[in-house]
Amino acid sequence: MTISYHWLLDYLPVSLSVEEVSEILTSIGLEVEGTEKIESIKGSLEGLLIGEVLSCEQHPNADKLSLTLVDVGDGEPKKIVCGAPNVAAGQKVIVALQGAVLYPTSGEPFEIKKSKIRGALSEGMLCAEDEIGLGVSHDGILNLPNDIAIGTLAKDYFQVTSDYILEI
C-alpha cells in the first residue's frame, strides 16, 4: 500500500519529518519499506529565482553572446553571459545562480558554476524553459510578466509541489 506523506500530515497533531513518520509507522507494526520523493517539476526549481536584466551589451569576443547585469534582489547585481537571442534590458527572467542544479527536459542534470566565457565572468545563467524542465522550447530565455517581485523563488512563482510516497 502507498500513502502520501502530506496527506498523513493532515491527520497528525504535530508536524513531523518524513523520516519520523516512517519510524513511528514502523514502530506500530506498519512497516515502511521505502519512501519516494515525487515532484511536479523535477528538481523543484531549487536555486532558481526571478531577476531583472538591468543592462545588456554585445560580448566583445563573441557575436552571439551578450553581457548582462542582472538584479536578483540581494543588493549585488550579477554579471551573466547569455547566448539567448531575445535577452534585453528590463526583462524579468529566471536566473540560476552558482550551485543551482538544472534538470533539463532532455539530457542530464547539470550544476551552474561561476565561470569565464570568452574572457568574461559569468555568475549564473538566464534560463529557457527546456533548460529547467518547464517545456521543450529553446527559442530563448523565458520572459516573465513585469509585476513579479525581483528575488521571488521560481518554485513559488510556478507553484511547484512535492510530496513523499510511503510504501507500507
Side-chain angles (χ1 to χ4, degrees):
M1 165 173 52
T2 58
I3 296 177
S4 160
Y5 165 68
H6 284 168
W7 178 81
L8 276 175
L9 288 181
D10 290 342
Y11 296 96
L12 297 175
V14 295
S15 182
L16 300 170
S17 71
V18 68
E19 292 82 11
E20 292 169 320
V21 169
S22 296
E23 288 176 18
I24 291 169
L25 289 172
T26 299
S27 74
I28 63 169
L30 298 171
E31 184 178 349
V32 176
E33 294 181 7
T35 60
E36 178 185 358
K37 185 174 184 178
I38 57 170
E39 304 163 301
S40 60
I41 298 172
K42 183 134 175 86
S44 295
L45 303 180
E46 289 292 333
L48 306 180
L49 43 88
I50 310 301
E52 181 175 6
V53 179
L54 300 175
S55 66
C56 180
E57 302 172 358
Q58 177 67 42
H59 192 300
N61 301 322
D63 292 338
K64 295 184 179 183
L65 297 177
S66 298
L67 301 176
T68 65
L69 193 61
V70 182
D71 181 357
V72 294
D74 66 358
E76 186 178 318
K78 307 296 182 212
K79 296 176 182 178
I80 299 177
V81 175
C82 181
N86 66 330
V87 65
Q91 294 174 325
K92 295 282 179 85
V93 296
I94 302 292
V95 182
L97 296 177
Q98 181 179 353
V101 176
L102 302 186
Y103 294 85
T105 301
S106 62
E108 296 297 315
F110 60 95
E111 183 177 349
I112 300 300
K113 298 177 181 171
K114 187 186 281 189
S115 61
K116 282 202 172 189
I117 300 174
R118 298 268 180 120
L121 177 67
S122 188
E123 301 175 289
M125 179 176 164
L126 306 183
C127 303
E129 68 178 43
D130 69 323
E131 294 167 330
I132 57 176
L134 288 177
V136 295
S137 175
H138 195 74
D139 293 336
I141 57 171
L142 272 172
N143 291 306
L144 303 172
N146 282 328
D147 61 347
I148 304 169
I150 295 169
T152 299
L153 299 177
K155 68 180 180 178
D156 293 341
Y157 176 73
F158 289 104
Q159 300 176 346
V160 176
T161 59
S162 64
D163 196 358
Y164 288 91
I165 300 300
L166 286 78
E167 185 173 340
I168 298 176

